[in-house]
Amino acid sequence: MGKRRGERELLRSLSKRQKKHLREFGEEHPFYDKVSGRPEATQTCELSENSDKSSAESDSETEVEQVSVYHKLLATLKTSPESESEEEEDESESEETGESETETDSEGSQETGEVDGGEEDKNDVPEKEEATDTAEQTRGQEQADDADASCDPSHGVIGEFTDVKHESEFSLETNFMEEESGDCNADRRDSNSSQAFSKDPFKQHMDKELEEKEVEKMSTLPKTSSQSQWPRLGQLTFSSTLEKHKTLKADKEVDMKQLYLHKPLESTWPKVNKQFLSSVNKASDPSFSPLQRELFCIMNTYRDLFYPERNALTNGEEIRHVYCLHALNHVLKANAQVLSHNAKRRDQKPGADNDDYRDQGLTRPKVLMIVPFRECALRIVHIFISLLEVNDKKKIDVSNKKRFKGEFGFDPEEKPPNLKRPEDYEAVFAGNIDDHFRIGVAILQKSMRLYAPFYSSDIIIASPLGMRTVIGAEGEKKRDFDFLSSIEILIIDQADIYLMQNWEHVLHLMKHINLLPLDSHGVDFSRVRMLNLNNWSKYYRQTLLFSALQDPQINSVFNKHCFNYVGQVAVRNVPLSGSISHVVVQLPHVFRRLEAENSIAVIDARFRFFIDKVLPEYRDAIMSHTLIYVPSYFDYVRLRNYFKKEDLNFTHICEYTKKAGVCRARRFFLKGEKQFLLFTERFHFYKRYTIKGIRNLIFYELPTYSHFYSEICNMMKAMDSGVDATWTCTVLYSNTLSDKKGRMSFKKAGVGEYLLYRTALVY
């Protein structure tokens, strides 16, 4: 106790500056050493032959002793509670703004230190310089350690590992067509054939030179639209700002040569896609299913596409295969063009005009694929590998494949054995469902490089959260979005799931795509297309948007953030059957309409309508066991706060509620100890728990997913049949959810069908 008390007194006797120096360097600054006033006597002695060795040993011994003393002081700084509090106070004070001292930490954030009372002594200047130099050395060492750690497979930072080893092998600038393909002469003949390229959709789209008048027209004038009926996709809406394009017609049969697929894809695609072909389809079209044929017909014209009928159980994998074919076809064509031009430039005479070889963007990434989970990225990479392997004997070289399987794969033993969930839940949440990831993929015809740096990648596969952490927010120093400047194809798959994750990440991504980069990143401007130099990349970008439903927020992204000069195609089918038909419980359904001027005013109007007209009917103790289904988390928080303020007998479950809280709330609600249960849609989406004890059901708003309506209603069958007569179901909906098209479908199809259609609102 006495020793520890003495150490604390020693620490308290030090100033803040001395403590700071002691923590950083492990010793006190020499300036504070006690020096006696009288001069010491000089002694002369003769050195022996082995004096160098002995003096070195003695110096090392004394240094060890001195270090050990200060390490003891450092140990007391870390272990003593009082010293910890003092240390936190010192750190907080050192982070305050000051005029005389500035420091930069390892993360790059600048902090300013406050001067300890009064004016500084002139002798403090060397101390500052020494501390600055040492801090810079420490900072450089930390950055080097971070770089080493990012290359370590066991490093925990997601997406930090990049493959630097194979940089030269996958560089487009240093490779030529001879290295890419064995039949170089055939490739050159194809590339020189103007007739072949004139019909190639890739060349037609990328070589089109827009005029300033056309760009101004696209940014100011509204779009003109036309309707068309296709056999498989149904009702299509074609829209464009420029001259009215010819309406596409669905091809009953597809000739592979007319699709202008790159060489290996012509032979590999039928083998990879045979699992989706039925015996009937194989006779008419041995390559595509009816859905794939019509989707690829639109994709291959480089129009924007919105398909809101993706279903994880039925057509999810079909759609994934067809957009992977389109993306890979685009990348292989673009890379082949660059490599062919590399060979031509190498053979041309010095001083020749190089304007004919503009074949690149400001950065290399061409395709950005946004998917919700790691399992989706794993399946996409497997499709790429299958499409690039011509036969079993010629396997392509995939770098970092083992690491990729370890990080994106899934161990089936991790799944609980007795977990029973609906089929659609099992299909969506299959495999690794981590939603924070990003990976760069570089592709040449015979090899693939996983974990490529973004600026050396052709394709980037990421989740919205993975992109958000890279892009960062305004004001952050560690942020980067230059690699998004030349994206030519944007694929957003399963967009409805992002409504359950965080839709703001998608909007943040759309605001930072196809912007001019802040740095050149070593690009050869003589090879950059004029469309990129003019900052017109967004007018050439093709956006493919797939969702399981139509939602105003998804429609808003497609209508406000897609500027393709070729035009847009959206599937707009009115549902033929309603979700209410799947309700097996006999109960009355009451639909209560509220009036609101617009989609913004409806938020407050719904809340006032609920607390003034709906809630008073359920305050009576007879109306117990009432579940309130709330799709929006913000509405849930607002209702929860109101219930607390009014001191109502309620409990609540949301996606952030811990497991113990969920069990407690379910038990209270089942036994009737709590009259109301606030229940969020996102919790139901991620958990799909069966809530027992429901007698009265209130839908605060129509569910995002139509089948959730029948699922929640069917939870009532868990109760005894003796109280069936008291069951009620009330649904709130507003006129803002039904525009002209929505009201027509509402009157035509009825209430049940409208639940499935929900809304066709276009912002």
Side-chain angles (χ1 to χ4, degrees):
M1 290 295 292
K3 183 179 180 181
R4 184 176 300 176
R5 187 177 302 164
E7 291 173 348
R8 290 180 181 176
E9 292 178 357
L10 176 60
L11 288 173
R12 290 171 182 170
S13 64
L14 299 177
S15 64
K16 294 179 181 178
R17 187 178 301 279
Q18 290 172 330
K19 292 178 183 177
K20 185 177 179 181
H21 195 280
L22 184 61
R23 287 195 306 270
E24 292 182 355
F25 304 104
E27 61 180 7
E28 288 187 292
H29 196 277
F31 174 75
Y32 299 103
D33 290 346
K34 295 181 180 180
V35 181
S36 59
R38 60 183 183 183
E40 295 183 357
T42 305
Q43 298 181 358
T44 305
C45 61
E46 295 181 359
L47 298 177
S48 59
E49 294 179 357
N50 58 352
S51 59
D52 295 339
K53 182 178 179 180
S54 61
S55 62
E57 291 175 355
S58 61
D59 291 341
S60 62
E61 290 175 0
T62 55
E63 287 176 2
V64 170
E65 290 177 359
Q66 292 177 358
V67 170
S68 63
V69 172
Y70 288 112
H71 275 300
K72 290 180 180 180
L73 290 176
L74 284 175
T76 58
L77 279 172
K78 295 178 181 178
T79 55
S80 174
E82 295 181 6
S83 60
E84 285 180 359
S85 60
E86 291 176 1
E87 184 176 336
E88 291 175 359
E89 292 175 1
D90 294 342
E91 289 178 355
S92 61
E93 291 178 1
S94 65
E95 291 173 0
E96 296 177 1
T97 306
E99 298 180 355
S100 60
E101 239 182 35
T102 57
E103 294 180 357
T104 308
D105 62 4
S106 60
E107 296 180 357
S109 60
Q110 189 173 358
E111 299 177 353
T112 57
E114 190 177 33
V115 181
D116 291 341
E119 298 180 355
E120 293 185 355
D121 192 7
K122 294 181 180 180
N123 293 326
D124 291 343
V125 177
E127 177 189 351
K128 290 182 184 178
E129 294 177 354
E130 181 182 349
T132 304
D133 295 339
T134 310
E136 290 177 356
Q137 295 175 1
T138 306
R139 195 161 53 245
Q141 183 64 31
E142 289 177 354
Q143 291 175 355
D145 293 342
D146 292 341
D148 295 339
S150 65
C151 297
D152 183 10
S154 61
H155 191 58
V157 181
I158 299 177
E160 293 299 325
F161 170 76
T162 53
D163 179 16
V164 187
K165 180 180 178 183
H166 302 86
E167 186 71 24
S168 61
E169 299 177 16
F170 288 83
S171 174
L172 290 179
E173 290 77 11
T174 58
N175 285 302
F176 303 95
M177 183 60 75
E178 290 88 351
E179 299 178 15
E180 175 68 12
S181 174
D183 190 3
C184 174
N185 296 327
D187 287 332
R188 290 190 179 184
R189 285 196 303 269
D190 292 342
S191 63
N192 291 331
S193 175
S194 58
Q195 183 179 2
F197 268 144
S198 62
K199 297 182 180 179
D200 188 355
F202 169 77
K203 291 293 293 181
Q204 288 180 349
H205 181 69
M206 301 306 298
D207 290 352
K208 165 78 174 177
E209 294 185 2
L210 294 175
E211 298 179 358
E212 293 186 4
K213 293 181 180 179
E214 294 176 323
V215 173
E216 184 179 356
K217 190 177 180 181
M218 284 188 289
S219 58
T220 55
L221 297 180
K223 299 175 183 177
T224 58
S225 60
S226 61
Q227 306 289 332
S228 179
Q229 186 74 24
W230 283 30
R232 179 64 178 82
L233 292 179
Q235 186 74 21
L236 301 184
T237 301
F238 294 83
S239 58
S240 176
T241 308
L242 299 180
E243 296 144 14
K244 196 171 182 182
H245 294 274
K246 295 181 180 179
T247 305
L248 282 177
K249 294 183 179 179
D251 297 328
K252 295 182 180 179
E253 296 183 4
V254 176
D255 185 5
M256 294 294 290
K257 294 182 179 180
Q258 294 179 357
L259 298 178
Y260 296 93
L261 294 178
H262 200 262
K263 270 191 171 183
L265 302 181
E266 291 182 1
S267 58
T268 58
W269 170 251
K271 299 177 183 177
V272 174
N273 197 53
K274 63 181 180 180
Q275 56 180 318
F276 304 109
L277 302 177
S278 62
S279 57
V280 179
N281 295 331
K282 284 183 179 180
S284 59
D285 187 356
S287 303
F288 293 89
S289 67
L291 175 63
Q292 290 176 330
R293 181 172 60 250
E294 296 184 7
L295 287 176
F296 192 78
C297 181
I298 298 173
M299 293 179 188
N300 210 28
T301 60
Y302 282 88
R303 286 177 169 87
D304 292 339
L305 172 64
F306 175 38
Y307 182 71
E309 298 178 9
R310 185 195 190 280
N311 191 311
L313 282 172
T314 57
N315 58 15
E317 289 303 313
E318 280 186 75
I319 295 172
R320 179 178 286 123
H321 275 68
V322 74
Y323 72 63
C324 285
L325 171 67
H326 178 61
L328 191 58
N329 185 43
H330 179 86
V331 169
L332 291 177
K333 286 181 179 180
N335 288 353
Q337 186 182 30
V338 173
L339 298 176
S340 177
H341 287 171
N342 288 348
K344 291 181 180 180
R345 289 188 52 170
R346 180 191 58 183
D347 299 338
Q348 73 179 3
K349 297 179 181 179
D353 187 14
N354 292 332
D355 241 12
D356 296 335
Y357 303 125
R358 293 189 177 274
D359 50 16
Q360 302 177 18
L362 291 167
T363 52
R364 180 171 172 178
K366 307 170 187 64
V367 178
L368 175 62
M369 310 178 80
I370 302 298
V371 290
F373 305 118
R374 285 180 180 258
E375 174 68 18
C376 305
L378 180 70
R379 295 183 183 184
I380 288 173
V381 172
H382 285 168
I383 295 172
F384 285 159
I385 295 173
S386 301
L387 288 173
L388 291 174
E389 290 181 345
V390 179
N391 50 51
D392 296 336
K393 296 181 180 179
K394 295 182 179 180
K395 297 286 186 181
I396 66 168
D397 182 21
V398 182
S399 60
N400 305 303
K401 188 175 181 180
K402 184 177 180 181
R403 180 191 181 94
F404 175 74
K405 288 184 177 180
E407 293 185 356
F408 286 77
F410 175 73
D411 186 4
E413 296 180 357
E414 297 179 2
K415 183 180 178 180
N418 297 326
L419 188 64
K420 293 183 180 180
R421 293 291 182 267
E423 292 182 352
D424 64 296
Y425 180 91
E426 297 288 350
V428 171
F429 294 97
N432 191 335
I433 58 172
D434 179 25
D435 62 350
H436 187 192
F437 64 91
R438 52 187 177 266
I439 183 172
V441 182
I443 295 178
L444 292 181
Q445 192 170 4
K446 296 180 181 178
S447 55
M448 177 186 295
R449 178 189 182 197
L450 302 175
Y451 295 98
F454 280 178
Y455 292 98
S456 301
S457 302
D458 297 305
I459 301 174
I460 297 175
I461 308 172
S463 64
L465 178 59
M467 280 288 96
R468 179 59 185 264
T469 53
V470 175
I471 296 173
E474 188 176 354
E476 295 181 4
K477 290 191 175 181
K478 276 195 170 183
R479 59 182 311 213
D480 185 15
F481 49 86
D482 286 354
F483 58 88
L484 300 174
S485 62
S486 300
I487 295 296
E488 297 164 1
I489 296 179
L490 171 63
I491 300 174
I492 303 178
D493 194 12
Q494 297 176 269
D496 53 289
I497 296 181
Y498 310 138
L499 296 172
M500 300 293 114
Q501 293 178 348
N502 193 334
W503 189 252
E504 291 296 326
H505 296 338
V506 178
L507 299 179
H508 193 70
L509 169 65
M510 300 304 295
K511 292 177 182 177
H512 290 84
I513 196 171
N514 292 126
L515 301 178
L516 283 176
L518 304 177
D519 193 8
S520 63
H521 301 283
V523 66
D524 182 2
F525 286 97
S526 65
R527 302 287 298 272
V528 179
R529 296 187 183 96
M530 293 305 299
L531 66 94
N532 299 101
L533 297 177
N534 292 332
N535 195 21
W536 292 348
S537 302
K538 65 179 181 180
Y539 300 111
Y540 288 80
R541 186 191 76 232
Q542 181 188 29
T543 304
L544 305 178
L545 188 58
F546 302 98
S547 172
L549 50 88
Q550 295 194 44
D551 188 88
Q553 298 181 80
I554 301 177
N555 290 336
S556 175
V557 167
F558 188 70
N559 295 324
K560 283 188 173 183
H561 296 278
C562 299
F563 310 95
N564 195 341
Y565 78 88
V566 185
Q568 298 176 330
V569 181
V571 179
R572 305 290 186 188
N573 290 323
V574 178
L576 301 177
S577 61
S579 174
I580 198 172
S581 60
H582 299 115
V583 178
V584 298
V585 181
Q586 297 294 329
L587 76 160
H589 301 266
V590 179
F591 295 86
R592 306 188 65 168
R593 175 171 170 170
L594 57 99
E595 301 293 335
E597 296 179 357
N598 50 54
S599 58
I600 298 177
V602 72
I603 299 174
D604 292 329
R606 183 185 294 108
F607 179 73
R608 300 307 312 176
F609 184 86
F610 176 78
I611 63 176
D612 293 339
K613 296 184 178 181
V614 178
L615 187 60
E617 300 175 2
Y618 291 85
R619 281 178 176 263
D620 194 347
I622 301 177
M623 306 296 290
S624 60
H625 296 273
T626 301
L627 184 141
I628 304 174
Y629 182 90
V630 188
S632 172
Y633 180 77
F634 301 105
D635 291 335
Y636 160 79
V637 172
R638 191 175 188 179
L639 290 175
R640 184 193 63 190
N641 294 341
Y642 176 79
F643 277 39
K644 287 183 178 180
K645 182 181 177 181
E646 295 295 321
D647 198 20
L648 296 177
N649 185 21
F650 81 103
T651 184
H652 52 87
I653 298 176
C654 70
E655 57 272 22
Y656 302 110
T657 307
K658 295 182 179 179
K659 191 173 182 179
V662 173
C663 296
R664 186 164 53 250
R666 294 173 67 186
R667 184 176 67 254
F668 288 162
F669 184 72
L670 176 62
K671 294 183 177 180
E673 298 179 13
K674 300 294 183 181
Q675 183 177 356
F676 297 98
L677 172 61
L678 293 178
F679 188 78
T680 63
E681 183 175 68
R682 289 176 66 185
F683 176 83
H684 182 67
F685 175 79
Y686 283 106
K687 299 298 182 182
R688 301 290 181 94
Y689 288 173
T690 299
I691 306 299
K692 297 181 180 180
I694 305 174
R695 296 181 184 176
N696 304 288
L697 183 59
I698 300 175
F699 285 92
Y700 189 77
E701 186 182 357
L702 288 169
T704 303
Y705 291 90
S706 60
H707 61 276
F708 282 2
Y709 182 85
S710 57
E711 284 185 10
I712 299 298
C713 291
N714 290 334
M715 289 182 184
M716 293 184 175
K717 68 181 181 180
M719 285 292 295
D720 295 334
S721 58
V723 291
D724 288 356
T726 62
W727 289 352
T728 63
C729 178
T730 304
V731 184
L732 306 185
Y733 74 98
S734 66
N735 59 339
T736 58
L737 288 178
S738 51
D739 57 349
K740 292 181 180 179
K741 187 174 180 181
R743 283 195 294 271
M744 289 175 60
S745 65
F746 184 81
K747 294 177 181 178
K748 178 180 178 182
V751 173
E753 284 71 15
Y754 181 65
L755 284 173
L756 182 59
Y757 185 75
R758 190 170 182 259
T759 177
L761 180 63
V762 178
Y763 282 175

